[in-house]
Amino acid sequence: MDIMLTFKFLWVMMTLCIYVRAEEKCTDDANCLYSYAGKLSADCSSRNLAFPPCFNETSELEAINLRHNRLNHVPDNMPKNIEFLDLSYNNIQDNLVYLQNYTRLRHLNLYHNQIDYASFHRQVTEMPNLQFISLKHNKHISSYPRYLFAGFGSLHHLRIDGLPDGNFGDMFPNSEVKSLKILDVSGYDGFCKISRLKASMFAKFNLTHLNLSQCDLLYIDLGSLSSQKHLQFLDASNNERLGFRGLRIIAHDLQNSTIKVLKLNKVHCTFGLGTILLLNHTTYLNKTSLEELYLDSNRIEIMETGVITYHLPKSLKYLSLGDNQISNGIYHLELSALHNLQTLNASFQFFTHNNFFDGCYDYRHSCHILPEFTVYPQEFTVYPSVVKSVRNIYPWYQHNAFSGLFPKPPNFTYYLPRSLTTIFANDMKFQFFVIRQLFFGQCNVTHLHFQNNLIYEMHVPTLGCNNLVYLDFSNNYCRYFTPHMLKIQSQLEVLNFSRNDLGHIFQDDNKGELLGRNLKLTVLSLHDNKITTLPRNVFINNSMIKILNISRNRLDTWSVDLRHMYQLQFLDLSFNLLSELDESAIDLLPTHGEFKISFQGNPLSCTCKNLFFLNWINNIHLDRLSHIANTTCIYRNGSTLSLQNLPDILNILQKDCSSYSVFIILASSFICFVTSFIIYRIMYRYRWKILYIYYLVKRAIFPENKKTEGKRFYESDVFISYAAHQRDFSISMARKLENKGLKVRIHDRDFLPGIDIAENITNAIHNSRRTVVVMTSHFLKSHWCMFELNMARMESIYSRGGENFLLLILLEKNVIKDMPRSLFDIIESKSYLEYPDDDSFQSPDAFWANLEDAINENE
């Protein structure tokens, strides 16, 4: 009886345990995303799951993603027909045996877990259909368990950590592993500490792709890779102590292989002495069928003559030498020998690395003498045949590998590989003025990336390269380029001239000569070019443009004719100084339905004066106004309104404008009547004095003898000094004076960029016949305004013999009260004019006439 009770008790406990286990082993509310794109899949990633979702084992799911969760064991409830399983970024360390239940599994990702390779070997003995497995970033051990993948007969792609004492061949029992083609032991996304490569590591394999990057490689035994006859891709980058001696061994071993891509980026430390690519380093490369070669970030400064001509394979299509410090030398002229080269990357030369030293303090770290290798002498071998051919093409070029590539000939021809179509030459710190013609022989370049250099001026075209489709010339501080430069580029489709200083040449191009007749041009970017105005016909010869970017300039008006651009889809006028567009400017814009425009960041005004423009925006539908959520306008009280609420804004403005119309008409009529009456009374009362002034003015305008002696030449007649708050008034003054034939200088427009502000000010005052000061309370508070005033006074005392050439315009009625005592002499000398306000009897026309007379006084 006791035995029966005990048995029942144990049975109940086991049932409870099973029940609890069933409750804990899966999660019902996992919120997985199910989709069907050829295969039924479930995405359960990043759900913070401690237990797997509850799947039906007979489900037709073929792919399950459980990455980025908190699973600590392999789920045992996956559908039996699953083919893809991602368990990366979990804490899995046990129950690995369940993997064998999924016999159709082809792709298994166990990256970044806590799996011990020995445990994996004991628990997972056979997965015959598995083609891909990633065991990277798990528990580190010193060597691989013997026959780790004995039951993985279909394994094609293996990602595993590179162990210090590990031999890849130990993981497989057979003498030849036919299925494995891709082996990735890179330390980029895992652990790799393989200091030496030996032939035994790869003897069993017939790989096509091998990744040994960032493995701290120091030695490569001769013959280590000789068995890999079908290798197509090899990446040994970021082994910073390997040096170019590793390139020689690799090239030797792969000379009879099918290698297509070789990456040896950063096999030298970032900091240290410049490196030299010698003939000895590249001896066997010409015996390969290499198509892509990457030698970036190796501090290459010099190449030995003949490396390119004789040792780089003629099959090469892509050559990357970015992030080095290549200096000029005769090897530049050898590039034309690479007949099949299609892409050349020479970007980031002499690029400044802002990191701390990364352990390479000395030349010996990267070029350390190995006892079992021959140390080749650091010398140059100049092939006579190369020098002879170069001299025939470039007779002015001296035999000196360190001399400048471009001395100073009148014109010269530079030959590029005939198949070269793409050049990356950005961020090279390339600095020059192009003042002589450059000729290119057999140039077929279609894509040129030349941004972030220092090409200040282009005075002549570069002849020969007439097939450009894409040109990026941004951020070059360029202030001038000849119109002939783009006239010959009839195939150009994308042109990026942004972040330069081309505003002054575009504002004078009313015939559209700068961009040429490029009928294929579809994308044009001119943002950040300090453009203040554009003439009406600047784009008249470019009718196929689809995207036109003129953002982040200084446009305060827009009157460019775009009606001929039937395909224009987007006009970007954001972040300029536009407050309104009048009816004539709007009539010049495209009218088709696909046209969109952006006014984001402009100080648009919400006033009655701008009502037509706002109505136009509303009529073209707000969905055609790009970035409408960030586009605002300024109401009359100074508040900022979002154009998302444009219908409400228009209702408010229409009420405001209609309510003030009658009042404005009546008030204007009354003012005109009162003003006319007052003028009539004044003229009648002072009629004799007016006649006297008339004759006095007539005598002043038509003097009998004109003074011609003692004149001094000045670059400008007037320099106007003003505070930022009076910019609109001052610019209006400048335009009025210029309409009178005077040459006016203002700092917003005429100061030279790149010159100190104080120097600009003193030059402007010294070279102007008169200095006019717009005196306001803001002027008195401005440091630079007071500097301009005092410099003008000094100019009067010391350079012009006490001549009072300074003229004040009192723009505010009470500003004299705020002026310092030191300026009262100017007031007492009557060298000032008061701008008429509403209470003044003086008319604005009289003020402008007086101002002109005061400027021309003593001429």
Side-chain angles (χ1 to χ4, degrees), residues 6-53:
T6 303
F7 177 77
K8 289 182 180 180
F9 175 76
L10 291 174
W11 183 82
V12 171
M13 292 301 296
M14 290 176 63
T15 304
L16 288 174
C17 290
I18 293 172
Y19 177 76
V20 172
R21 166 83 172 154
E23 287 295 317
E24 293 182 346
K25 72 176 182 179
C26 66
T27 304
D28 290 326
D29 54 349
N31 295 320
C32 297
L33 300 176
Y34 294 86
S35 62
Y36 184 82
K39 293 183 179 181
L40 184 60
S41 62
D43 186 355
C44 310
S45 61
S46 304
R47 297 296 193 275
N48 199 30
L49 300 175
F51 299 97

Side-chain angles (χ1 to χ4, degrees), residues 279 282 285-286 303-316 319 330-339 381 383-387 389-390:
L279 287 162
T282 57
L285 274 178
N286 59 349
M303 295 184 192
E304 190 172 356
T305 306
V307 165
I308 297 177
T309 301
Y310 293 107
H311 283 185
L312 292 189
K314 298 298 183 285
S315 58
L316 205 61
L319 176 60
I330 199 169
Y331 40 83
H332 287 84
L333 308 178
E334 298 182 58
L335 274 176
S336 59
L338 301 176
H339 303 312
T381 303
Y383 283 84
S385 58
V386 174
V387 175
S389 61
V390 169

Side-chain angles (χ1 to χ4, degrees), residues 141-159:
I141 54 178
S142 60
S143 62
Y144 303 108
R146 192 167 178 81
Y147 303 156
L148 176 61
F149 297 112
F152 293 67
S154 300
L155 190 59
H156 177 81
H157 186 169
L158 172 61
R159 300 180 75 249

